[in-house]
Amino acid sequence: MYRSNNHAPLVLVADDDRLIRVLVRKSLEAEGFRVEEAADGHEVISAFYMLQPDLIFLDVIMPGQDGFCICKQIRSMDSGDAVPIVMMTGLDDHESVKKAYEAGATDFITKPLNLALIGHRAQYVIRSSRALENLKQSEARLVDAQSIANLGSWEFDLVSGEIYCSREVYNIFGIEPGNSRITHEVFMDAVHPQEKDAVAERMRKALMEDSNFTIECRIMTQHGRERSILTKARINRDETAKATWVVGFIQDITERKEVEEKIKQLAYYDTLTGLPNRILFQDNFSHAISFAKRTKTQIGILFVDLDRFKQINDTLGHAVGDKVLQEVAERLNAGVRKYDYVTREPVEGIDAEIARFAGDEFIIMLKNVRDHFDAAKVAQRIQDSLAMPYTIDGTEIIVTPSIGISLYPVDGERLEDLIKFADIAMYHAKELGRNNFQFYSRSLDSTAKDHLILEGQLRNAVKRNELFVVYQPIMQIPSFEISGIEALVRWRHPEHGVLSASHFVPMAEETGLITEIDEWVLHTVCRQIKAWQDRFDRTLEVSVNVSGRNFKKRTLVETVVKTLQNTKIEPERLKLEITEGVLINNDEYVVSALNSLKGMGIRLALDDFGTGYSSLGYLRKFPLDILKIDKTFVRDILVDHDCTSIITAIIALARSLKLDIIAEGVETKDQMELLLQKGCEKQQGNYFSPPLSLADLEEFLQHGITDTEDPAPGKNHSHTGPAAPV
Ligand code: C2E
Ligand code: MG
Ligand code: MG
């Protein structure tokens, strides 16, 4: 019961029957309600408008507008949907009850009225409508809160497959709730392709064994936007522990992620150049160490400092200095990242980390370093690339780097030590006149440098005419006639004297210089063949070694054709020696190149046979004429039974494939005889003659081997002096 005062609920009693109004009023007032009356539709509307009652008792039958119309009208008014309206209908008037609800009534009572209960009825209706109102409000608040927090709630009935999602979930996925429903498939479809598998696996696992789970992933909304979401859920299980029901929330955490990313960027990267900073670098170094341990490789730390950078800042201003640093960072990236130590050529995929530590100091970490040469190569490349002029705002600026290098694990195991040592080495580089690089350990310095210097010199050797060709005869046994000649390249080095091919050909292959060298040798030899043809009136076959690099560059056939044309020799005079590596790389070009060479009439020899992968199967595929047994087998033929068997097998193989066979590196009479006995009649080696200079070869050609008993070089030329081995 209400205590009747201004706060007591106000009930509007609307009936055209005055007596009923009075009776109802009395009953309600007795329960403490305040009561107002209305006699027709007009009065009801204006009383509702003026008084905003807490409850309306509304008679169905009234003059003018009936109760249904009035009810509808109130419901359409401002705040008219909240007020409870109880309609008074005739007993058993089912039609009216139905119509009352359709018009928006909250409840109904029947006439004749039970006045004793009407107060209780009023109380009940008001209470429940207030409860409903509160519920509505708190729901609205929840929706507001969810939308402010970008947080939606969902429930997943695993038994029926039904998913209930709050409005905000739809917002997060960019789906209009009216248009489609969120289902498990819709959710999984939205998950970012790169994360789908992981998310599905995480959910599957959680449903099997967890009581709750948290998933953070990226989704693509229906509008095609990428968002980051976080969902946390609790799994309910039935008595058999089967998951039946999952309740959770989902939150759009895109902004948080972006902020985190920004913070990470600020924390781990240098803002000017975008390069990692010291902290991230340290982190990467730890990973690099485990890699180095696993692969037994080294790590190179390069400390790069720009020479006289302060001057640029002071004279041209910081803005220009900043641009130089940005350009340096770019050049470092370009110069370092794509470097393959194996071919010593730039390629994709090799790992190097660059960081800016301070001002004009950059640190580079090279992973997968085999030796100091690798580090030296990169240092050289960086030096060359950074020393190129910089054009900043139209002004050309020269900045050179001084680089110090330390190596893990030889110089130290901790990053700080390695950086310190690289720093010391860098100062040493500055002392030595800047724009150079130095290793922390000086002894390594000279070896690595020697190699680089030699490489630089080799580049000029062709131009400076320092290369020449020597010729080693290939003998026909037992007649000791000259069956052919192999041309071998030599380098007359300004300081080191004559270097044989094995001293610089590998380096020339690494650097790619070999194609130029091979071209030169081919040309020189072809010219020589022509000269011999004219002079000796005798057909000599000369073999020239060609590197696999020529096949990679796909220039070989063209070069050979051009050279034959220029020197006017017959292709039959020329043999080309290739190694197994060329065939292993069995690509289309190799097959077609060999076929066209063969088609021209050039003979093809497979050099160093037995040392490579020796898959005999491939021999058939290529148009070869000759197999050359590698000198390592010949060397051991008398002492190592395996070698003898290998040679026997090679000879048998050559026969079955109808290939000619040449043994190289024959040094003794016994080797010669055994080889002959096995059926190898063509032999080459110091026993007959070392590679000879042109003059000595010509001498050899004229006089041949006179003493067939022991045709060792020292003896057969006794009348002209020994042929000088070259
Ligand atoms: P190769 O084609 O197998 O040449 C034979 C090598 O054995 C030559 O070494 C030769 O001097 C050496 N030799 C000759 N007789 C004997 C002997 O009785 N005992 C021993 N132990 N060695 C002997 P060289 O001239 O140092 O050449 C090494 C390799 O370099 C050659 O092996 C060849 O693969 C390559 N090469 C030589 N000249 C050229 C060239 O012009 N172009 C290319 N691409 N490679 C070349
Ligand atoms: Mg050869
Ligand atoms: Mg060989």
Side-chain angles (χ1 to χ4, degrees):
M1 180 168 127
Y2 295 98
R3 203 143 34 92
S4 189
N5 58 31
N6 277 348
H7 300 294
L10 175 66
V11 181
L12 179 63
V13 179
D15 201 309
D16 54 332
D17 186 335
R18 187 165 174 275
L19 180 64
I20 291 186
R21 291 202 309 263
V22 172
L23 289 173
V24 173
R25 168 196 282 274
K26 289 269 178 246
S27 307
L28 291 172
E29 280 177 351
E31 292 292 329
F33 289 96
R34 291 182 294 140
V35 179
E36 289 292 335
E37 293 174 30
D40 58 29
H42 238 71
E43 284 185 21
V44 178
I45 299 298
S46 66
F48 170 75
Y49 187 68
M50 305 287 291
L51 306 169
Q52 295 284 311
D54 296 293
L55 170 66
I56 303 173
F57 279 106
L58 180 59
D59 187 22
V60 169
I61 302 151
M62 285 205 286
Q65 278 181 305
D66 64 14
F68 307 122
C69 288
I70 299 167
C71 182
K72 262 191 212 152
Q73 212 178 325
I74 292 173
R75 288 291 183 232
S76 69
M77 288 168 72
D78 260 1
S79 71
D81 57 345
V83 63
I85 301 175
V86 176
M87 301 213 72
M88 298 185 283
T89 64
L91 187 64
D92 293 338
D93 185 357
H94 294 300
E95 192 52 30
S96 289
V97 171
K98 193 171 151 224
K99 277 171 90 177
Y101 281 124
E102 277 168 7
T106 313
D107 203 354
F108 70 96
I109 50 173
T110 52
K111 283 181 175 177
L113 298 169
N114 184 343
L115 290 170
L117 291 180
I118 202 155
H120 296 294
R121 192 57 170 269
Q123 258 175 28
Y124 170 75
V125 173
I126 287 177
R127 210 184 301 135
S128 61
S129 104
R130 281 190 180 160
L132 196 68
E133 190 55 28
N134 283 342
L135 189 67
K136 271 193 197 153
Q137 275 180 11
S138 66
E139 247 179 18
R141 274 199 294 270
L142 186 66
V143 168
D144 274 356
Q146 290 199 349
S147 117
I148 290 165
N150 291 329
L151 182 124
S153 53
W154 55 268
E155 286 177 33
F156 187 2
D157 182 346
L158 295 168
V159 180
S160 69
E162 290 278 309
I163 296 188
Y164 160 79
C165 293
S166 76
R167 214 205 134 76
E168 192 53 26
V169 178
Y170 284 87
N171 283 347
I172 290 172
F173 282 83
I175 296 174
E176 262 316 309
N179 293 352
S180 60
R181 296 201 35 194
I182 292 183
T183 60
H184 183 62
E185 286 67 39
V186 169
F187 171 76
M188 283 312 295
D189 269 356
V191 174
H192 197 282
Q194 285 169 358
E195 295 178 37
K196 261 193 192 36
D197 290 346
V199 168
E201 176 55 22
R202 174 83 193 86
M203 277 198 192
R204 198 193 57 77
K205 201 170 155 274
L207 289 177
M208 299 281 285
E209 53 205 43
D210 297 338
S211 56
N212 45 45
F213 66 84
T214 302
I215 291 175
E216 232 183 79
C217 66
R218 285 172 297 159
I219 57 164
M220 302 301 289
T221 69
Q222 301 264 308
H223 310 304
R225 286 166 67 204
E226 189 183 305
R227 313 292 293 166
S228 295
I229 58 152
L230 165 77
T231 185
K232 281 191 177 199
R234 198 181 61 229
I235 301 167
N236 297 304
R237 299 179 183 277
D238 63 11
E239 54 293 338
T240 66
K242 188 165 164 259
T244 51
W245 187 260
V246 190
V247 209
F249 75 80
I250 198 161
Q251 190 175 18
D252 185 329
I253 53 166
T254 312
E255 279 168 28
R256 193 185 89 197
K257 282 272 165 198
E258 282 167 2
V259 171
E260 277 173 12
E261 197 44 49
K262 217 170 247 157
I263 290 172
K264 203 168 115 194
Q265 191 71 26
L266 288 173
Y268 292 123
Y269 293 88
D270 166 45
T271 35
L272 180 66
T273 60
L275 291 175
N277 64 15
R278 203 179 270 264
I279 302 168
L280 184 56
F281 192 77
Q282 171 73 56
D283 221 40
N284 291 337
F285 180 73
S286 316
H287 293 300
I289 285 206
S290 13
F291 177 80
K293 282 191 173 142
R294 221 174 37 244
T295 54
K296 299 203 167 35
T297 51
Q298 305 187 35
I299 302 171
I301 297 290
L302 275 59
F303 197 114
V304 181
D305 185 280
L306 304 179
D307 301 327
R308 302 199 182 89
F309 182 71
K310 196 170 169 298
Q311 266 179 20
I312 294 176
N313 261 344
D314 292 349
T315 54
L316 300 171
H318 284 266
V320 172
D322 283 356
K323 284 187 184 156
V324 170
L325 291 175
Q326 282 166 339
E327 170 100 34
V328 165
E330 270 170 37
R331 291 189 191 183
L332 287 177
N333 264 325
V336 137
R337 285 205 189 285
K338 299 174 181 134
Y339 188 78
D340 181 354
Y341 303 123
V342 179
T343 58
R344 307 208 184 209
E345 287 221 322
V347 286
E348 301 288 342
I350 274 285
D351 243 359
E353 301 281 346
I354 308 165
R356 180 170 173 232
F357 265 39
D360 60 338
E361 290 171 4
F362 296 85
I363 305 275
I364 296 158
M365 169 169 66
L366 304 175
K367 288 184 253 178
N368 211 3
V369 169
R370 288 169 309 181
D371 50 32
H372 48 282
F373 290 131
D374 281 344
K377 292 288 291 185
V378 180
Q380 183 70 65
R381 281 162 53 85
I382 289 173
Q383 196 183 314
D384 292 346
S385 123
L386 295 193
M388 305 265 281
Y390 297 72
T391 310
I392 310 281
D393 302 336
T395 313
E396 193 163 279
I397 300 167
I398 304 281
V399 190
T400 53
S402 291
I403 305 171
I405 308 169
S406 63
L407 290 173
Y408 165 95
V410 278
D411 294 328
E413 305 229 330
R414 294 185 324 159
L415 181 60
E416 42 198 294
D417 293 339
L418 290 163
I419 290 178
K420 191 173 73 198
F421 295 149
D423 192 10
I424 293 171
M426 185 276 291
Y427 271 99
H428 183 57
K430 294 237 184 224
E431 277 164 23
L432 293 175
R434 302 188 170 91
N435 195 20
N436 71 96
F437 67 87
Q438 295 297 318
F439 279 89
Y440 173 62
S441 157
R442 305 262 170 87
S443 59
L444 289 181
D445 208 25
S446 56
T447 336
K449 278 218 150 149
D450 284 353
H451 186 86
L452 280 171
I453 289 169
L454 202 64
E455 202 181 292
Q457 289 168 332
L458 182 59
R459 277 178 205 283
N460 295 320
V462 182
K463 280 181 230 127
R464 292 193 188 148
N465 252 335
E466 289 169 3
L467 298 183
F468 63 102
V469 178
V470 292
Y471 301 90
Q472 187 174 36
I474 300 166
M475 311 304 291
Q476 179 74 45
I477 309 298
S479 67
F480 289 93
E481 277 161 21
I482 297 173
S483 112
I485 295 165
E486 178 172 8
L488 296 159
V489 69
R490 295 290 179 265
W491 177 11
R492 190 174 290 108
H493 189 277
E495 295 145 43
H496 306 311
V498 174
L499 299 179
S500 70
S502 53
H503 282 98
F504 63 93
V505 164
M507 179 192 276
E509 291 197 312
E510 276 171 16
T511 52
L513 276 173
I514 195 69
T515 47
E516 202 182 324
I517 294 178
D518 279 355
E519 210 170 304
W520 180 85
V521 170
L522 187 69
H523 189 81
T524 308
V525 169
C526 289
R527 257 194 2 231
Q528 196 53 56
I529 295 175
K530 177 77 182 152
W532 284 327
Q533 247 173 22
D534 296 347
R535 261 175 58 201
F536 291 111
D537 188 26
R538 141 171 205 191
T539 52
L540 279 172
E541 269 186 16
V542 187
S543 0
V544 172
N545 294 281
V546 287
S547 157
R549 279 302 199 115
N550 297 291
F551 289 89
K552 268 205 186 130
K553 277 188 131 181
R554 311 197 154 211
T555 47
L556 185 64
V557 179
E558 206 182 305
T559 308
V560 172
V561 170
K562 204 177 66 197
T563 314
L564 292 178
Q565 276 169 0
N566 288 348
T567 53
K568 299 192 182 60
I569 64 154
E570 296 139 24
E572 288 74 19
R573 299 286 79 81
L574 190 62
K575 279 193 287 190
L576 294 180
E577 296 194 4
I578 55 169
T579 49
E580 282 171 283
V582 172
L583 308 186
I584 298 292
N585 280 331
N586 173 20
D587 63 31
E588 300 272 307
Y589 178 75
V590 172
V591 182
S592 80
L594 293 179
N595 278 324
S596 12
L597 293 169
K598 172 86 176 191
M600 283 184 242
I602 294 170
R603 305 224 298 152
L604 301 170
L606 188 55
D607 208 348
D608 303 343
F609 186 70
T611 55
Y613 306 88
S614 302
S615 153
L616 303 178
Y618 64 61
L619 286 182
R620 270 199 196 89
K621 287 207 298 219
F622 300 95
L624 300 167
D625 302 285
I626 304 153
L627 285 190
K628 292 190 79 173
I629 304 175
D630 189 65
K631 52 180 174 291
T632 52
F633 299 118
V634 174
R635 185 187 63 205
D636 297 337
I637 190 172
L638 295 165
V639 285
D640 183 341
H641 192 68
D642 283 348
C643 285
T644 326
S645 324
I646 290 170
I647 288 179
T648 314
I650 294 177
I651 292 171
L653 173 81
R655 281 216 183 107
S656 78
L657 293 175
K658 304 208 166 34
L659 299 176
D660 228 350
I661 189 119
I662 299 175
E664 63 176 21
V666 180
E667 290 179 346
T668 68
K669 192 177 178 190
D670 291 345
Q671 287 170 342
M672 174 195 78
E673 279 169 354
L674 188 52
L675 283 162
L676 183 63
Q677 187 197 320
K678 297 276 172 201
C680 176
E681 297 177 348
K682 286 189 177 148
Q683 302 186 10
Q684 173 187 358
N686 291 347
Y687 177 61
F688 312 104
S689 162
L692 302 171
S693 70
L694 185 58
D696 285 335
L697 176 84
E698 289 179 353
E699 177 73 32
F700 192 95
L701 286 177
Q702 273 171 5
H703 300 284
I705 298 174
T706 45
D707 181 356
T708 50
E709 282 307 306
D710 186 2
K715 287 198 171 175
N716 60 329
H717 293 282
S718 49
H719 54 291
T720 54
V726 195

